[in-house]
Amino acid sequence: MPYFFTSESVSEGHPDKVADQISDAIVDAFLLHDPNAKVACETLVTTGKVIISGEIRCSDEAKNKVDAEKIARDVIAKIGYTKPEYLFDAKSCDVQLLLHEQSSDINQGVDRGKEEEQGAGDQGMMFGYANSETENYMPLTLELSHQLLLELAAIRKESRKMNYLRPDAKSQVTIQYSEKGKPERIDSIVISTQHDENVSQQKIKEDIQRVLFPRLVKRLRGTEKKLLKNFATDSNHKLYVNPTGNFVIGGPHGDTGLTGRKIIVDTYGGHGAHGGGAFSGKDSSKVDRSAAYATRHIAKNLVASGVCKEALVQVAYAIGMAKPVGLYVNTFNSGSGKVRNSKGKKMSDSEISDRISKLVDMRPASIVKRLGLKNPIFSETASYGHMGRIPSTKNINGHSFETFTWEKLNLVDSFKNEFHLS
């Protein structure tokens, strides 16, 4: 029997994402001046107010140079909250800072005499996931949800068509799959977008079909392009726009936002699994973040190398300990028949896990070094997902930093060699 699966995304103007972006911008600012800074930063946004709290351990230079209030205002302005009628705007909002020193008890578990023996900043389990549904090895439902909002934001910022749009928005995509797990059609799309007063919901819906869909279809590739094109040209498609009937009051004025409340949007849209921790506002000594990136890196390269068509990678740590307490790979019975053990039998998930644990060093310091996670590269992750993004170069004050390094396919060759797929 066919089945349906749904994922959602939220825009950069969603209140929780506003909070995430402020927190990650502060992390980046400290790392720019002190790559060894330890940052745990939480942000709350509500009507006319921003509260930033957390624990910081850094050099005196970083303390003196990081202006958290200015950072918050710059982020808010960049998102688009620049008008007083939003009741939350970059110039007039009150910014309250509650930052203090990191706990010495936590710090002693992280810092070690030898860098490679750096302990995990907390206990917990982290997951990475990948499948072969899309060219970036992300779940199709989530990828389409992200892309709808990315294009909607681009239209809003151009201020030519749909110039009534405001920053807050959400999307949701439901896809029908065959009983063999193949995506067949988009069943429904939900888009809730904040807008100016005196704009009819019918006009917004028509503009989404007339402006948004053609632009996005033109930009997409592969399965995403085919499914959205079929959906857009089907006269019976189920498109729900602002189902409540109005969305003028939005952003932090409409709903208080907090760092770390959109962890499923940040990862895989409900596919696979998620550990207990959020990512934003944390430096890479927190394995909630760094190990989640490392497991995504492994999962993506496993699928890309042909070891399997779907992979979920789990790693777990004890606070203060460098070596993981466990690493496991689940291929959901999608493993290649070519991946055989020494006895000529199809390799089990536990055998794959054992080989990966020997091949990839998952100690926190090794992850940080391998992926360049002491660089100020986290602001870019704070909206539209931490996974599935395109690696690029970020330039700050004449320095270049690689972003989304965990999305590189630089383990494919070693995985092919290890599993004799060359």
Side-chain angles (χ1 to χ4, degrees), residues 74-108:
D74 288 348
V75 168
I76 294 165
K78 184 179 180 182
I79 292 168
Y81 286 109
T82 56
K83 298 179 180 180
E85 57 261 37
Y86 296 162
L87 298 181
F88 180 85
D89 73 279
K91 289 185 178 180
S92 67
C93 66
D94 175 47
V95 180
Q96 185 175 357
L97 302 179
L98 301 171
L99 299 170
H100 59 86
E101 193 83 0
Q102 183 193 50
S103 162
S104 58
D105 288 349
I106 292 176
N107 184 259
Q108 71 179 354

Side-chain angles (χ1 to χ4, degrees), residues 286-297:
K286 284 74 174 174
V287 284
D288 281 337
R289 179 167 223 158
S290 54
Y293 293 164
T295 51
R296 162 63 180 174
H297 191 213

Side-chain angles (χ1 to χ4, degrees), residues 286-316:
K286 284 74 174 174
V287 284
D288 281 337
R289 179 167 223 158
S290 54
Y293 293 164
T295 51
R296 162 63 180 174
H297 191 213
I298 292 171
K300 181 176 182 178
N301 279 265
L302 279 172
V303 177
S305 65
V307 173
C308 53
K309 293 182 178 180
E310 183 178 16
L312 180 69
V313 181
Q314 186 205 56
V315 67

Side-chain angles (χ1 to χ4, degrees), residues 38 70 283 316 336 361:
K38 302 296 185 290
K70 182 180 185 303
D283 73 272
S336 169
D361 190 343

Side-chain angles (χ1 to χ4, degrees), residues 146-386:
H146 284 327
Q147 293 300 328
L148 285 164
L149 294 184
L150 278 164
E151 196 63 46
L152 193 68
I155 292 168
R156 170 174 62 85
K157 291 174 181 179
E158 289 171 7
S159 298
R160 293 194 302 239
K161 300 177 180 178
M162 301 180 74
N163 58 5
Y164 50 80
L165 293 173
R166 293 183 176 184
D168 196 358
K170 298 177 73 173
S171 66
Q172 183 173 283
V173 175
T174 300
I175 289 179
Q176 178 180 311
Y177 288 81
S178 71
E179 60 183 13
K180 293 184 178 180
K182 299 292 184 181
E184 295 183 321
R185 53 181 284 273
I186 297 175
D187 182 71
S188 65
I189 292 177
V190 181
I191 298 178
S192 296
T193 181
Q194 188 185 13
H195 57 86
D196 290 344
E197 293 186 270
N198 303 318
V199 179
S200 72
Q201 302 307 309
Q202 184 60 33
K203 175 173 175 51
I204 299 172
K205 185 173 183 178
E206 290 174 354
D207 284 349
I208 284 173
Q209 296 178 97
R210 180 180 61 86
V211 179
L212 174 62
F213 282 172
R215 281 180 52 142
L216 187 52
V217 166
K218 186 176 181 180
R219 186 165 60 79
L220 291 176
R221 295 182 297 172
T223 304
E224 302 101 300
K225 182 184 185 79
K226 179 181 177 181
L227 291 185
L228 185 60
K229 185 176 181 179
N230 290 344
F231 177 84
T233 56
D234 180 0
S235 60
N236 295 316
H237 68 209
K238 291 185 280 187
L239 172 64
Y240 304 102
V241 176
N242 293 345
T244 61
N246 213 36
F247 191 2
V248 175
I249 300 171
H253 174 55
D255 187 14
T256 295
L258 291 169
T259 301
R261 285 209 302 195
K262 285 292 176 283
I263 58 176
I264 301 303
V265 171
D266 286 343
T267 53
Y268 308 105
H271 290 260
H274 196 291
F279 305 153
S280 290
K282 299 174 181 178
D283 73 272
S284 59
S285 69
K286 284 74 174 174
V287 284
D288 281 337
R289 179 167 223 158
S290 54
Y293 293 164
T295 51
R296 162 63 180 174
H297 191 213
I298 292 171
K300 181 176 182 178
N301 279 265
L302 279 172
V303 177
S305 65
V307 173
C308 53
K309 293 182 178 180
E310 183 178 16
L312 180 69
V313 181
Q314 186 205 56
V315 67
Y317 296 88
I319 187 169
M321 303 300 293
K323 189 176 180 180
V325 298
L327 185 142
Y328 181 66
V329 178
N330 183 355
T331 64
F332 304 94
N333 295 317
S334 70
S336 169
K338 297 179 181 179
V339 176
R340 301 278 173 173
N341 60 22
S342 59
K343 297 180 180 180
K345 295 183 178 180
K346 184 176 179 180
M347 197 174 290
S348 67
D349 286 350
S350 61
E351 290 174 305
I352 293 173
S353 304
D354 183 60
R355 294 201 179 196
I356 292 297
S357 65
K358 293 175 181 176
L359 197 63
V360 183
D361 190 343
M362 291 296 284
R363 290 178 298 174
S366 296
I367 293 171
V368 170
K369 184 177 181 180
R370 183 165 66 248
L371 300 180
L373 300 182
K374 286 190 177 184
N375 294 327
I377 58 172
F378 299 120
S379 295
E380 287 76 11
T381 68
S383 54
Y384 309 112
H386 293 242

